[in-house]
mmCIF file of all heavy atoms in Angstrom:
data_model
loop_
_atom_site.group_PDB
_atom_site.id
_atom_site.type_symbol
_atom_site.label_atom_id
_atom_site.label_comp_id
_atom_site.label_asym_id
_atom_site.label_seq_id
_atom_site.Cartn_x
_atom_site.Cartn_y
_atom_site.Cartn_z
ATOM 1 N N LEU J 43 9.401 4.433 1.443
ATOM 2 C CA LEU J 43 10.625 4.973 0.871
ATOM 3 C C LEU J 43 11.869 4.687 1.686
ATOM 4 O O LEU J 43 11.753 4.522 2.925
ATOM 5 C CB LEU J 43 10.503 6.529 0.738
ATOM 6 C CG LEU J 43 9.300 6.996 -0.090
ATOM 7 C CD1 LEU J 43 9.101 8.502 0.092
ATOM 8 C CD2 LEU J 43 9.627 6.690 -1.607
ATOM 9 N N GLY J 44 13.011 4.663 1.048
ATOM 10 C CA GLY J 44 14.226 4.455 1.781
ATOM 11 C C GLY J 44 14.700 5.641 2.481
ATOM 12 O O GLY J 44 15.627 5.654 3.376
ATOM 13 N N LYS J 45 14.180 6.845 2.128
ATOM 14 C CA LYS J 45 14.472 8.119 2.847
ATOM 15 C C LYS J 45 13.173 8.799 3.225
ATOM 16 O O LYS J 45 12.115 8.467 2.697
ATOM 17 C CB LYS J 45 15.314 9.026 1.972
ATOM 18 C CG LYS J 45 14.653 9.405 0.684
ATOM 19 C CD LYS J 45 15.560 10.307 -0.157
ATOM 20 C CE LYS J 45 14.688 10.739 -1.414
ATOM 21 N NZ LYS J 45 15.416 11.660 -2.185
ATOM 22 N N GLU J 46 13.303 9.718 4.102
ATOM 23 C CA GLU J 46 12.118 10.455 4.616
ATOM 24 C C GLU J 46 11.282 11.027 3.476
ATOM 25 O O GLU J 46 11.886 11.680 2.535
ATOM 26 C CB GLU J 46 12.520 11.518 5.587
ATOM 27 C CG GLU J 46 11.387 12.024 6.440
ATOM 28 C CD GLU J 46 11.791 12.882 7.564
ATOM 29 O OE1 GLU J 46 12.963 12.768 8.048
ATOM 30 O OE2 GLU J 46 10.937 13.550 8.135
ATOM 31 N N PRO J 47 9.976 10.832 3.486
ATOM 32 C CA PRO J 47 9.169 11.384 2.394
ATOM 33 C C PRO J 47 8.964 12.884 2.480
ATOM 34 O O PRO J 47 9.157 13.464 3.438
ATOM 35 C CB PRO J 47 7.820 10.625 2.521
ATOM 36 C CG PRO J 47 7.764 10.393 4.010
ATOM 37 C CD PRO J 47 9.202 10.205 4.480
ATOM 38 N N PRO J 48 8.471 13.489 1.326
ATOM 39 C CA PRO J 48 8.120 14.849 1.328
ATOM 40 C C PRO J 48 6.913 15.121 2.309
ATOM 41 O O PRO J 48 6.108 14.142 2.522
ATOM 42 C CB PRO J 48 7.754 15.178 -0.086
ATOM 43 C CG PRO J 48 7.466 13.944 -0.681
ATOM 44 C CD PRO J 48 8.254 12.839 -0.004
ATOM 45 N N GLU J 49 6.761 16.279 2.825
ATOM 46 C CA GLU J 49 5.613 16.583 3.736
ATOM 47 C C GLU J 49 4.367 16.582 2.908
ATOM 48 O O GLU J 49 4.404 17.055 1.717
ATOM 49 C CB GLU J 49 5.871 17.890 4.441
ATOM 50 C CG GLU J 49 6.854 17.816 5.525
ATOM 51 C CD GLU J 49 6.812 18.925 6.513
ATOM 52 O OE1 GLU J 49 5.677 19.491 6.797
ATOM 53 O OE2 GLU J 49 7.809 19.255 7.042
ATOM 54 N N VAL J 50 3.287 16.169 3.531
ATOM 55 C CA VAL J 50 1.966 16.204 2.882
ATOM 56 C C VAL J 50 1.028 16.873 3.868
ATOM 57 O O VAL J 50 1.268 16.860 5.129
ATOM 58 C CB VAL J 50 1.453 14.835 2.478
ATOM 59 C CG1 VAL J 50 2.296 14.191 1.421
ATOM 60 C CG2 VAL J 50 1.502 13.827 3.734
ATOM 61 N N PRO J 51 -0.148 17.470 3.428
ATOM 62 C CA PRO J 51 -1.050 18.098 4.323
ATOM 63 C C PRO J 51 -2.022 17.232 5.032
ATOM 64 O O PRO J 51 -2.905 17.724 5.667
ATOM 65 C CB PRO J 51 -1.760 19.075 3.372
ATOM 66 C CG PRO J 51 -1.737 18.443 2.088
ATOM 67 C CD PRO J 51 -0.443 17.680 1.974
ATOM 68 N N TRP J 52 -1.781 15.920 4.952
ATOM 69 C CA TRP J 52 -2.688 14.971 5.662
ATOM 70 C C TRP J 52 -1.861 14.073 6.618
ATOM 71 O O TRP J 52 -0.593 14.113 6.518
ATOM 72 C CB TRP J 52 -3.492 14.136 4.705
ATOM 73 C CG TRP J 52 -2.648 13.544 3.575
ATOM 74 C CD1 TRP J 52 -1.857 12.456 3.603
ATOM 75 C CD2 TRP J 52 -2.547 14.053 2.292
ATOM 76 N NE1 TRP J 52 -1.269 12.234 2.414
ATOM 77 C CE2 TRP J 52 -1.611 13.212 1.604
ATOM 78 C CE3 TRP J 52 -3.017 15.166 1.593
ATOM 79 C CZ2 TRP J 52 -1.263 13.510 0.306
ATOM 80 C CZ3 TRP J 52 -2.702 15.395 0.310
ATOM 81 C CH2 TRP J 52 -1.829 14.541 -0.368
ATOM 82 N N ASP J 53 -2.492 13.410 7.471
ATOM 83 C CA ASP J 53 -1.862 12.491 8.462
ATOM 84 C C ASP J 53 -1.088 11.436 7.613
ATOM 85 O O ASP J 53 -1.609 10.925 6.640
ATOM 86 C CB ASP J 53 -2.861 11.806 9.380
ATOM 87 C CG ASP J 53 -2.234 11.240 10.552
ATOM 88 O OD1 ASP J 53 -1.067 11.408 10.874
ATOM 89 O OD2 ASP J 53 -2.996 10.407 11.196
ATOM 90 N N SER J 54 0.110 11.086 8.026
ATOM 91 C CA SER J 54 0.870 10.068 7.284
ATOM 92 C C SER J 54 1.873 9.344 8.170
ATOM 93 O O SER J 54 2.201 9.819 9.293
ATOM 94 C CB SER J 54 1.634 10.729 6.139
ATOM 95 O OG SER J 54 2.612 11.576 6.597
ATOM 96 N N ARG J 55 2.324 8.276 7.642
ATOM 97 C CA ARG J 55 3.417 7.423 8.325
ATOM 98 C C ARG J 55 4.433 7.150 7.295
ATOM 99 O O ARG J 55 4.128 6.941 6.051
ATOM 100 C CB ARG J 55 2.851 6.070 8.801
ATOM 101 C CG ARG J 55 1.841 6.097 9.957
ATOM 102 C CD ARG J 55 2.549 6.284 11.356
ATOM 103 N NE ARG J 55 3.525 5.381 11.673
ATOM 104 C CZ ARG J 55 3.339 4.263 12.377
ATOM 105 N NH1 ARG J 55 2.150 3.902 12.770
ATOM 106 N NH2 ARG J 55 4.355 3.462 12.674
ATOM 107 N N TRP J 56 5.642 7.086 7.694
ATOM 108 C CA TRP J 56 6.825 6.725 6.830
ATOM 109 C C TRP J 56 7.212 5.366 7.237
ATOM 110 O O TRP J 56 7.547 5.100 8.417
ATOM 111 C CB TRP J 56 7.892 7.687 6.954
ATOM 112 C CG TRP J 56 9.201 7.274 6.356
ATOM 113 C CD1 TRP J 56 9.368 6.543 5.181
ATOM 114 C CD2 TRP J 56 10.524 7.603 6.744
ATOM 115 N NE1 TRP J 56 10.700 6.420 4.910
ATOM 116 C CE2 TRP J 56 11.400 7.001 5.875
ATOM 117 C CE3 TRP J 56 11.019 8.208 7.950
ATOM 118 C CZ2 TRP J 56 12.747 7.077 6.051
ATOM 119 C CZ3 TRP J 56 12.322 8.375 8.092
ATOM 120 C CH2 TRP J 56 13.230 7.759 7.141
ATOM 121 N N LEU J 57 7.238 4.430 6.265
ATOM 122 C CA LEU J 57 7.762 3.052 6.532
ATOM 123 C C LEU J 57 9.052 2.937 5.710
ATOM 124 O O LEU J 57 9.074 3.052 4.481
ATOM 125 C CB LEU J 57 6.740 2.016 6.044
ATOM 126 C CG LEU J 57 7.094 0.550 6.249
ATOM 127 C CD1 LEU J 57 7.428 0.274 7.782
ATOM 128 C CD2 LEU J 57 6.005 -0.343 5.811
#
Side-chain angles (χ1 to χ4, degrees):
L43 300 167
K45 61 180 182 175
E46 196 166 342
E49 287 199 30
V50 292
W52 47 81
D53 194 17
S54 66
R55 293 280 306 267
W56 169 36
L57 182 56

